[in-house]
């Protein structure tokens, strides 16, 4: 049987995206150089300080570099961003001296391998192309500052996955697939712009005159950088809002109730059951996550045993939506979810919520499965 849908997930250089002539919009922020090498004695030089998963060095020479341990066997990644002026990408001796300068000592380095790459801020104009969908780096490119490239690709796959499954199972409506771009593109744009900010406030942008000096003005310069880092860079490492807080509230397949949303903040996440948001997480007991009870399909979370759900269940059955009703009689869950009924999609985002079944249950199930008109 020939394939009915085509997932284009062939990475940043996507040959298939090019074949379809799909445009990428955006820019290259900076060029960077990464060196991978083996230095078995380097970890020992961190004996008097903490060896963290990433060490940032700021030097008055006006470059900023990052050292990242890769393995316990002494493999490292040395990352310089942006490329220092006048240095060629393959000029390992110059980069090695920069590394020695940052560490403050020379040490043996083996098998250096360089990689020159751009920090990108790029998005395909659309992630849908008929029955072909772009996923991951083929659809968007982000600066690595924040660690979101793969994260977004997985988010794309989850969104596209349940929609294609719904269509193949026969209950997904004719408008369902086009909501993939409508939901994912704005989310990716938001995340990519945050990562671009993280990249812009790196390296040279954090360097101040005298910051290496053992003097009063050196102390003042370091204090200024410290404050700048706390203000501008905390979100690079603390990005709960970008990870959990993104929402599909303007999607045509979620039904809102007019409640004001918690602010979308890159760093902080405020759980909310407003339609479009990720269903708030709750541990029901140790090792017992509320998510495990939602199952792989639509789930109607029922937080009051007295509420009738038969009409909604019947409407779902009529169109073939697999729907699980999960009764949870818990004050903590009621307070977190703020409503007695919450309809949760297969990707754990809220499709609708209310204190009773809607008057027109068939209309609701048609909207959430992409079978209703968007206008
Ligand atoms: C320095 C750096 C640090 C990063 N750190 C992070 C991080 O901390 N967290 C994070 O989430 N992301 C991070 N990323 C980004 C992440 O690596 C990418 O976003 C992710 O790998 C993209 O996955 P992908 O599957 O879309 O593309 P790729 O990983 O590029 O995979 C595409 C695959 O398609 C295959 N392929 C290509 N053409 C064809 C074809 N014609 N037929 C069949 N197969 C084909 C390729 O061989 C490849 O295996 C980082 C990136 C960089 C550069």
């Amino acid at each position: 049987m020939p394939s009915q849908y085509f997932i284009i997930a062939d990475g940043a250089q996507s040959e298939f995206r090019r074949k379809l002539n799909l445009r990428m919009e955006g820019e290259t922020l900076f060029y960077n150089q990464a060196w991978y090498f083996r230095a078995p004695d380097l970890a020992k030089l961190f004996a008097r300080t903490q060896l963290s998963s990433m060490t940032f060095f700021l030097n008055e020479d006006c470059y900023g570099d990052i050292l990242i341990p890769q393995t316990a066997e002494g493999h490292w990644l040395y990352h310089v961003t942006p490329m220092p002026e006048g240095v060629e990408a393959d000029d390992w001796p110059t980069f090695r001296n920069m590394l020695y300068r940052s560490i403050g000592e020379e040490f043996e380095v083996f098998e250096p391998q360089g990689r020159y790459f751009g920090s990108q801020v790029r998005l395909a104009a659309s992630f849908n192309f008929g029955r072909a969908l772009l996923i991951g780096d083929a659809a968007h490119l982000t600066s690595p500052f924040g660690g979101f490239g793969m994260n977004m690709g997985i988010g794309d796959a989850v969104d596209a996955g349940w929609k294609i499954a719904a269509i193949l199972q026969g209950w997904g409506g004719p408008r369902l697939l086009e909501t993939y771009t409508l939901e994912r593109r704005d989310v990716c744009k938001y995340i990519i712009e945050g990562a671009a900010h993280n990249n812009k406030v790196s390296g040279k942008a954090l360097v101040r005159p005298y910051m290496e000096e053992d003097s009063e003005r050196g102390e003042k310069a370091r204090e200024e950088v410290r404050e700048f880092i706390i203000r501008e860079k905390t979100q690079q490492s603390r990005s709960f809002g970008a990870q959990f807080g993104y929402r599909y509230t303007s999607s045509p397949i979620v039904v809102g109730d007019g409640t004001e949303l918690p602010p979308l903040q890159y760093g902080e996440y405020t759980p909310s059951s407003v339609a479009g948001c990720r269903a708030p997480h709750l541990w029901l007991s140790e090792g017992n996550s509320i998510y495990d009870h939602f199952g792989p399909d639509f789930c109607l979370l029922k937080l009051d045993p007295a509420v009738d759900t038969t009409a909604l269940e019947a409407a779902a059955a009529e169109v073939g939506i697999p729907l699980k009703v999960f009764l949870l009689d818990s004050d903590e869950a009621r307070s977190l979810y703020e409503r007695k009924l919450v309809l949760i999609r297969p990707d754990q985002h809220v499709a609708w919520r209310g204190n009773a079944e809607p008057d027109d249950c068939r209309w609701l199930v048609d909207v959430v499965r992409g079978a209703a008109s968007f206008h």
Side-chain angles (χ1 to χ4, degrees):
M1 189 173 152
S3 298
Q4 296 180 55
Y5 293 92
F6 186 40
I7 301 294
I8 301 174
D10 52 351
Q13 301 302 325
S14 181
E15 182 194 333
F16 287 98
R17 185 190 66 230
R18 285 163 206 268
K19 277 187 180 160
L20 293 174
N21 207 15
L22 287 172
R23 222 163 12 101
M24 283 289 250
E25 295 168 347
E27 57 170 333
T28 303
L29 272 187
F30 299 116
Y31 287 96
N32 316 289
Q33 181 69 25
W35 288 97
Y36 297 88
F37 58 83
R38 197 167 58 80
D41 294 333
L42 179 50
K44 290 181 203 150
L45 300 178
F46 282 81
R48 277 176 292 129
T49 176
Q50 196 186 344
L51 175 57
S52 46
S53 58
M54 271 191 194
T55 306
F56 290 76
F57 297 95
L58 299 173
N59 299 313
E60 265 183 72
D61 301 356
C62 264
Y63 61 87
D65 45 10
I66 308 168
L67 191 62
I68 307 171
Q70 303 279 292
T71 67
E73 287 75 47
H75 294 94
W76 298 81
L77 163 60
Y78 176 58
H79 185 263
V80 179
T81 184
M83 277 293 281
E85 278 160 35
V87 179
E88 294 296 322
D90 57 1
D91 184 357
W92 166 241
T94 298
F95 282 103
R96 188 184 52 202
N97 287 339
M98 287 162 58
L99 174 60
Y100 289 162
R101 155 118 165 68
S102 290
I103 295 292
E105 238 177 273
E106 296 193 4
F107 50 90
E108 277 198 304
V109 177
F110 303 97
E111 303 138 29
Q113 285 185 33
R115 186 171 165 235
Y116 177 69
F117 68 97
S119 286
Q120 308 289 349
V121 182
R122 291 185 196 274
L123 271 173
S126 171
F127 296 179
N128 286 71
F129 191 80
R131 284 183 290 129
L133 302 183
L134 267 67
I135 281 184
D137 279 17
H140 40 69
L141 290 172
T142 185
S143 154
F145 279 67
F148 271 106
M150 180 58 86
N151 188 305
M152 284 191 293
I154 292 170
D156 296 344
V158 170
D159 195 274
W162 78 263
K163 291 170 182 174
I164 291 178
I167 294 164
L168 294 178
Q169 287 165 16
W171 56 270
R175 312 296 303 271
L176 189 59
L177 206 56
E178 68 191 90
T179 67
Y180 170 59
T181 297
L182 299 177
E183 294 191 342
R184 289 301 302 166
R185 194 173 183 279
D186 281 354
V187 166
C188 293
K189 187 166 183 287
Y190 175 73
I191 291 172
I192 289 170
E193 284 169 358
H197 173 82
N198 297 339
N199 203 159
K200 282 180 194 161
V201 292
S202 292
K204 254 163 106 168
L206 298 174
V207 176
R208 301 287 181 278
Y210 318 118
M211 68 186 296
E212 291 181 71
E213 214 175 72
D214 190 9
S215 65
E216 203 173 306
R217 67 181 182 182
E219 191 58 46
K220 199 163 162 254
R222 287 191 290 278
E223 181 58 24
E224 196 185 306
V225 174
R226 190 184 82 90
E227 282 171 14
F228 185 79
I229 288 174
I230 291 170
R231 191 174 65 244
E232 300 293 337
K233 279 195 84 69
T234 302
Q235 70 162 38
Q236 182 177 325
S237 318
R238 188 185 168 85
S239 53
F240 298 122
Q243 292 175 51
F244 306 120
Y246 64 76
R247 60 286 296 264
Y248 303 134
T249 36
S250 53
S251 168
I253 57 165
V254 301
V255 180
D257 60 4
T259 314
E260 203 175 318
L261 282 159
L264 180 55
Q265 294 170 292
Y266 211 85
E268 302 303 323
Y269 166 56
T270 309
S272 167
S273 73
V274 170
C277 295
R278 184 187 305 272
H281 183 262
L282 187 65
W283 291 108
L284 303 182
S285 57
E286 203 185 320
N288 181 10
S289 162
I290 193 170
Y291 277 22
D292 293 339
H293 296 268
F294 294 163
D297 301 309
F298 266 88
C299 175
L300 183 59
L301 177 61
K302 180 171 164 171
L303 294 152
D304 179 346
V307 177
D308 186 17
T309 57
T310 46
L312 197 44
E313 288 176 65
E318 200 182 331
V319 296
I321 294 188
L323 177 71
K324 171 179 179 176
V325 180
F326 173 42
L327 172 62
L328 182 60
D329 195 1
S330 141
D331 288 337
E332 194 184 1
R334 268 189 288 278
S335 144
L336 186 61
Y337 276 82
E338 297 174 316
R339 297 290 186 279
K340 293 176 181 173
L341 292 177
V342 186
L343 184 61
I344 297 164
R345 316 192 313 185
D347 62 354
Q348 284 126 18
H349 279 257
V350 174
W352 167 87
R353 67 179 191 171
N355 281 325
E357 292 180 313
D359 293 338
D360 189 345
C361 290
R362 177 58 196 260
W363 172 81
L364 178 65
V365 297
D366 279 346
V367 172
V368 301
R369 71 189 179 101
S373 164
F374 291 171
H375 304 291

